[in-house]
Amino acid sequence: MDSTSLEPSLYTVKAIFILDNDGNRLLSKYYDPELYPSMKEQKNFERNVFNKTHKADNEIAFLEGMTIVYKSSIDLFFYVVGSAQENELMLMSVLNCMFESLSHILRKNVERRCLLDNMEGVFLVVDEIIDGGVILESDPQQVLQKVNYRLMSEPAYGFVLLDYITGNLEAQTDRSQLL
Amino acid sequence: QHNMLDSSDAIARSGSNPFQHLEKSAVLQEARIFNETPINPRRCLHILTKIIYLLNQGEHFGTTEATEAFFAMTRLFQSNDVSCHLLIKSVLTVSLLNSFMVFYSLTKDMTGKEDVYRGPAIRALCRITDTTMLQAIERYMKQAIVDKVPSVSSSALVSSLHMVKMSYDVVKRWVNEAQEAASSDNIMVQYHALGLLYHLRKNDRLAVTKMLNKFTKSGLKSPFAYCMLIRIASKLLDETEGGHDSPLFDFIESCLRNKNEMVVYEAASAIVHMPNCTARELAPAVSVLQLFCSSPKAALRYAAVRTLNKVAMKHPSAVTACNLDLENLITDSNRSIATLAITTLLKTGSESSVDRLMKQISSFVSEISDEFKVVVVQAISALCQKYPRKHSVMMNFLSNMLRDDGGFEYKRAIVDCIISIIEENPESKETGLAHLCEFIEDCEHTVLATKILHLLGKEGPRTPQPSKYIRFIFNRVVLESEAVRAAAVSALAKFGAQNDDLLPSVLVLMQRCMMDSDDEVRDRATFYMNVLQQKQKALNAAYIFNGLSVSIPGLEKSLHQYTLEPSEKPFDMKSVPLATTPITEPKTEIAPVATSKLPEKLARSRQDIYQEQLAAIPEFQSLGPLFKSSEPVQLTEAETEYVVRCVKHTFARHMVFQFDCTNTLNDQLLQKVVVQMEPSEAYEVIHYIPAPSLPYSQPGSCYSLVRLPDDDPTAVSCTFSCTMKYLVRDCDPNTGEPDDDGYDDEYVLEDLEVTVADHIQKILKPNFGAAWDEVGDEFEKEETFALASVRTLDEAVGNIISFLGMQPCERSDKVPENKNSHVLFLAGVFRGGHDVLVRARLALADGVTMQVTVRSSEETVVDVILASVG
């Protein structure tokens, strides 16, 4: 690891995921196509991270060469992953923004059932905070302004949702080409 | 009733996840309602969420399924009720018609009145856009970048950044808009604009410098943008080797006083990671990190202690001031923080605190992740070098760690550490070997087992009781995989060759190995069996102790060549290029190591690469194999118009000088560049190969071919005066367009020296004594010299090694402390393929007296060495 060679770049976040208290994935996005390109590797990584972090709420860990900041609430675990050289506080600001925004749209009930019932809002929030690994917004108020508006009108929801679908499919096709 | 309650309970539980038992086919079935009119937005929404959830869980949609679903979604889009902006790339593959429609619709959204749709529409659109389509929306993108709504502007900037990889030339045209956005009041827009500007300009150092000047003065509001600026500034400082009096350094230092912790930390970390920082320059960074150590935020404590750990590697004294804060972190509930704190203290603390800290680590070492266990091992390894007397405590600790569970990286770190302790402290050898023997009895990692067997073969026979290792080694032959069995056979052979009283038993064991099921194991056993039975020291030295010294890729290539051209002559081993001894890099990294996921490939040595490059030049094809390539020698000062360095390539009867030239003037194009050489001795320059063209900042190489004097083999050193000659064509610095005609010019370079070291290739003889006997004393000569100007043995050893360019063996390059005499063993091969060995006995009195004994298979070589030493 050569930490001097941290290339100046806006690509800060490598991955984000939300797991339940059995370590099952509820939402996850990987922004670096070279990091765990297959679903199997991703789930292995999530499993490993979960096993090492779910017992103690330590906020930060270093695993598989990656800095991971995390937070738990009742039966949910939120993770933000960055490279070993990344500024830990930048990752924390993403994690805090995600947590506070979600806490607001879930009306402080940050737990599994409520999250699943508002899944569309969760997808929207994550997409407004990170775009392709770049921090798009770190102020929960701003995120909520954009998202709340849209929660009122279903039409608007289509945007990001489909963005999500195509993003995933895209990654899938890339992967199948790789194999 | 009880039953009913049960089942409803079960339903309630499984129902706690509404997406639990989703079936892909059922969801796709449901998706048909997309086609219904009038459309039911709520239901559609719910189904879309289900599809996303399935994708997220790794469900794969086949092309047909995806096509159908997307086709249906396009309808939604048509109905204008669910304005789905993005059906995107996948849709494009479905049909061109659809893509046009989506494209049209998204364009409408991104320019529409509804601000809240516009940002996402832009991001979605850019996902599906290719270079041609991007040009079509270029006008909209430019407008969007400077849009007054921050979310629109940010989306456009970030999307442009994503597009840079694909369509650099198009996005480059938006620099002015990005520049305007950078002065926005919105902090995120500022940050994104800065990021895009940097990505577009990063290859133009001048533009980056201007940009930095502008933004460091204007004062940005976004802490993210500050962090970005700090990174750009420190990269620029690093590249330009700017001194710490530069305004860039001042800027970074001023960020230590920023009110945002994120920026302060970024600045401190940047300063810590700068090469050549003095303790005084580090001090302000260290003191902010010290404050962070007592922060209530775990992430900040972690960041601070991780960075302090880094400082402690190079400047332990700079961190001593934080020892108290670090002590408090030892009990931190976050074990990563505690580990980093302890390993930092191990580096900064005194010898007396070592035992206490080690005890503290062992109390929780089982709780921390492998990554941090490796950090602990590396800290121990560093400690052993610092306090050799503590090696027994460390060895105990390491052997306990070796017994614990852990992955490959972790075990390898421990094994490496034990091996280095053994090498540093002869008295720890037996305990260390015993621990390793125990470890290989139950070791699942082939690489480690073979490595340890190799070490046992090398060290075991020279211990007082070699016989006790035989059992451990032979157990491997019985129990392990092929690779380990083969390594065990090689180790056994070394015991047989070194210890006469063990030979009969080794031969019996060897006999058994000859019946192994694996070819490689059998071949090795048969080979060693026959060599051992000869009972000749020279054979043992050449084939058992010291092995082949050729480059393996080179051998492969030579053999391949030999089979292509059938010939009566037997294959000549001397035609194979020698293996260059790997330069052992000083261990610097002790911070958490990013474990590489790629398997390590057999890296081609630098010399193999040169060999290939030179072979591609027709003039050099008849020179035979490349014997040695020197390290590059600078022939110009660092900051001159042209930068030239030279690599000396030695062949059997010739030398090729490779001049790597860089033109640092952006208003000149150089052509037909040669370096003219005037030798001081009977060396003859027979050919110049010019570099045809040398544009601004693109390095190029020209070559000179020199014949070595045949009649006087002792003429090994020579000085060349060098002049670079070329044709200059002035050109426009902006376009790079050169003038039609040019003029000749020249530039005087520094003199180039060829010394005896250029004629000798380093060869490592793992068993020097055996090699010494093998060469024999037929051409042995001895002479005594007084090195008056040298004050210490260390200095003398360093001088001799660098002067002769030979490989120190048996770790004789390390002079034990407080000794007045030392013996240095050097091995090498002289140009033409003759082994040469040097034994230098050094004695320290008023200056150093040196008695040099040289042996070689060729008399002239001995003379050359002695003549050049004197």
Side-chain angles (χ1 to χ4, degrees), chain B residues 284-312:
Chain B
V286 170
S287 51
V288 300
L289 293 172
Q290 182 176 9
L291 281 180
F292 289 162
C293 279
S294 44
S295 159
K297 296 177 197 160
L300 193 51
R301 292 198 304 275
Y302 173 88
V305 70
R306 183 176 73 108
T307 315
L308 285 173
N309 193 312
K310 201 91 197 182
V311 184

Side-chain angles (χ1 to χ4, degrees), chain A residues 25 64 113 157 159 161 163, chain B residues 15 45 52 56 85-86 371:
Chain A
R25 159 197 287 204
E64 304 193 17
R113 177 69 216 216
Y157 174 57
F159 293 65
L161 203 51
D163 179 46
Chain B
L45 196 58
I52 296 183
N56 212 319
H85 287 219
L86 5 106
E371 276 86 352

Side-chain angles (χ1 to χ4, degrees), chain B residues 73 132 136 248 316 361 380 486 556 689 720 746:
Chain B
M73 282 182 236
T132 12
L248 290 177
I361 294 190
I380 295 177
E556 188 185 348
I689 296 173
F720 291 89
E746 57 179 55

Side-chain angles (χ1 to χ4, degrees), chain A residues 3-4 11 25 43 59 64 84 86-88 113 131 135 154 157 159 161-164 169 172, chain B residues 15 42 45 52 56-57 59 70 73 84-86 117 162 192 231 266 273 299 306 310 371 589:
Chain A
S3 11
T4 47
Y11 293 96
R25 159 197 287 204
K43 291 205 166 171
E59 191 171 301
E64 304 193 17
E86 195 46 76
N87 186 325
E88 291 84 349
R113 177 69 216 216
D131 183 65
I135 304 177
E154 291 89 0
Y157 174 57
F159 293 65
L161 203 51
L162 278 165
D163 179 46
Y164 202 88
L169 271 183
Q172 255 181 12
Chain B
R42 254 191 200 287
L45 196 58
I52 296 183
N56 212 319
Q57 293 300 322
E59 189 73 66
F70 279 114
M73 282 182 236
C84 315
H85 287 219
L86 5 106
Y117 293 151
H162 296 326
H192 296 138
R231 284 181 204 183
E266 185 75 40
H273 287 122
R306 183 176 73 108
K310 201 91 197 182
E371 276 86 352
E589 47 175 355

Side-chain angles (χ1 to χ4, degrees), chain B residues 513-782:
Chain B
C513 300
M514 284 166 69
M515 285 175 287
D516 197 279
S517 58
D518 182 71
D519 289 349
E520 171 74 21
V521 179
R522 256 192 338 261
D523 288 353
R524 284 196 193 192
T526 315
F527 175 75
Y528 289 131
M529 183 81 182
N530 284 297
V531 175
L532 288 172
Q533 279 169 339
Q534 306 300 316
K535 296 185 183 164
Q536 287 183 26
K537 279 205 165 153
L539 283 180
N540 286 349
Y543 296 109
I544 296 182
F545 293 126
N546 293 329
L548 278 180
S549 53
V550 294
S551 135
I552 301 296
L555 178 62
E556 188 185 348
K557 208 176 287 169
S558 306
L559 283 171
H560 181 63
Q561 201 63 37
Y562 184 75
T563 55
L564 289 182
E565 296 161 9
S567 117
E568 291 296 304
K569 283 195 296 179
F571 180 75
D572 180 11
M573 270 309 257
K574 286 194 175 148
S575 70
V576 182
L578 295 169
T580 41
T581 26
I583 302 150
T584 43
E585 284 161 35
K587 285 178 196 158
T588 48
E589 47 175 355
I590 306 198
V593 185
T595 42
S596 64
K597 281 173 282 175
L598 297 169
E600 283 175 42
K601 272 191 229 145
L602 181 64
R604 292 193 315 158
S605 70
R606 203 171 131 262
Q607 187 163 341
D608 289 329
I609 298 168
Y610 280 134
Q611 164 99 18
E612 214 159 83
Q613 284 172 354
L614 293 174
I617 299 171
E619 284 84 349
F620 301 152
Q621 273 168 0
S622 57
L623 300 181
L626 174 60
F627 177 72
K628 180 176 187 178
S629 298
S630 73
E631 289 298 313
V633 183
Q634 298 293 342
L635 296 182
T636 52
E637 303 280 326
E639 300 281 321
T640 45
E641 299 94 311
Y642 312 114
V643 178
V644 181
R645 48 177 221 170
C646 176
V647 180
K648 300 174 273 185
H649 301 290
T650 312
F651 290 84
R653 278 203 270 298
H654 299 83
M655 285 188 83
V656 169
F657 298 90
Q658 172 183 342
F659 298 94
D660 298 327
C661 316
T662 312
N663 165 16
T664 64
L665 300 177
N666 62 359
D667 57 353
Q668 283 192 356
L669 169 70
L670 307 189
Q671 288 180 320
K672 296 181 202 154
V673 185
V674 292
V675 175
Q676 195 167 338
M677 303 174 74
E678 295 294 335
S680 65
E681 306 286 326
Y683 283 49
E684 183 192 356
V685 182
I686 51 179
H687 209 75
Y688 290 113
I689 296 173
S693 150
L694 210 57
Y696 164 58
S697 86
Q698 288 176 25
S701 298
C702 60
Y703 301 89
S704 309
L705 174 60
V706 169
R707 181 164 35 224
L708 298 170
D710 275 335
D711 44 345
D712 181 10
T714 55
V716 288
S717 52
C718 180
T719 305
F720 291 89
S721 40
C722 302
T723 313
M724 182 161 81
K725 301 200 166 180
Y726 44 86
L727 178 78
V728 183
R729 291 173 71 185
D730 291 323
C731 52
D732 184 329
N734 294 321
T735 60
E737 200 61 48
D739 286 352
D740 289 336
D741 36 44
Y743 51 91
D744 287 321
D745 203 352
E746 57 179 55
Y747 189 82
V748 178
L749 304 173
E750 284 172 29
D751 287 353
L752 181 66
E753 304 270 353
V754 172
T755 64
V756 64
D758 291 314
H759 302 269
I760 300 176
Q761 178 65 278
K762 295 178 175 190
I763 291 291
L764 180 68
K765 298 281 185 194
N767 189 325
F768 187 84
W772 186 255
D773 293 340
E774 179 197 348
V775 172
D777 56 2
E778 191 182 351
F779 301 114
E780 182 184 283
K781 286 196 181 167
E782 198 169 83

